[in-house]
Amino acid sequence: MDVNRSSFYKWRKRMANPSDKMLKRQHDILLFKKYHDHYPTHGYRWLNAKIALDLGVTYSNNYAQRVCQYAGIKSVSKRFRTYKSSDRFKIYPNLLLADLSINRPLQVVVSDRTAFWCKDTYYELTLYMDLFNNEILTYDLSSKKGDRMTYINGLNDLIQKKKEYSDLELILHNDQGSVYSSKAFNEALPLYNITRSMSRAGTPTDNGAMEAINGWLKEELFNDFDIKNIDNIYQAIDEYIFFFNTARPSFSLNYLTPKQFKEKFTPQF
């Protein structure tokens, strides 16, 4: 078999006395195989999300991918099929046009990305905002142009918040950007009782509240917070978001802050 003697004995010793790491990996392989047998059309990200949903066991996507590689798990639907563009990207109807009555937190969350230059560095900031009280629920900042992870990281943080209220339906609304409409972005959302909604093509007014906040945010960052003279931009954004949620009166909330508005009208949250 073209295996040298010392390597063979080392391997045999490992098999006879497996480490805790090997035992854990074997357990995880069996777990992912079990879920793959039930849901063979899904890949490692979806399986990982489903295991977390059912068992409360959290793995990183990188580890889940390695486990599936060790186990030889592959999505059945991807094995023989060539995807068309309509399969990779899906457009959803605009549910906000249905004159929704928003009467609780985490009923409708809107999202968008804004960009700005500061000290010769380009930044992209993705926000997820609750339309009930205009609270910025989650956000992510990157100095890398076109960084799709600002969307994904913000969504993951939103899902963590949503887990506390798993019985409530949440509508997530945004534009038709390639990340928002991608399969990777949307495939796990139904597991968390999240329904998708999208603006019509070329109609930014469909997400008017988010567009307005983007404008105010940059005005206040540069004029009120003087961000151009601050060294740590990431910390400055953190401080601004805290200010926005807890210390910034809003005209649309009768000059209450988002925190005050939520405490006044939904004390259970």
Side-chain angles (χ1 to χ4, degrees), residues 38-148:
H38 281 86
Y39 309 102
T41 61
H42 292 282
Y44 70 88
R45 288 188 181 89
W46 191 95
L47 294 175
N48 193 22
K50 182 62 174 171
I51 290 171
L53 179 67
D54 291 351
L55 306 180
V57 180
T58 303
Y59 302 101
S60 70
N61 279 331
N62 288 338
Y63 179 75
Q65 183 182 29
R66 289 199 304 272
V67 167
C68 289
Q69 287 174 341
Y70 290 137
I73 293 174
K74 292 184 179 180
S75 169
V76 171
S77 63
K78 294 180 181 179
R79 189 170 299 170
F80 302 110
R81 184 178 173 190
T82 300
Y83 285 102
K84 298 179 181 179
S85 60
S86 58
D87 295 316
R88 296 194 303 269
F89 303 103
K90 185 173 181 180
I91 306 303
Y92 295 84
N94 187 341
L95 301 181
L96 300 190
L97 295 178
D99 293 326
L100 289 173
S101 177
I102 302 174
N103 52 31
R104 62 165 173 83
L106 293 178
Q107 182 178 352
V108 179
V109 173
V110 294
S111 179
D112 199 9
R113 185 194 69 186
T114 190
F116 59 90
W117 285 87
C118 189
K119 294 186 175 181
D120 298 324
T121 302
Y122 177 85
Y123 293 94
E124 291 182 350
L125 175 65
T126 297
L127 305 171
Y128 288 80
M129 184 180 77
D130 193 332
L131 274 190
F132 174 73
N133 64 332
N134 292 347
E135 179 183 2
I136 304 299
L137 297 174
T138 65
Y139 58 96
D140 197 47
L141 179 69
S142 174
S143 59
K144 179 181 176 182
K145 191 171 185 177
D147 188 358
R148 64 190 299 273

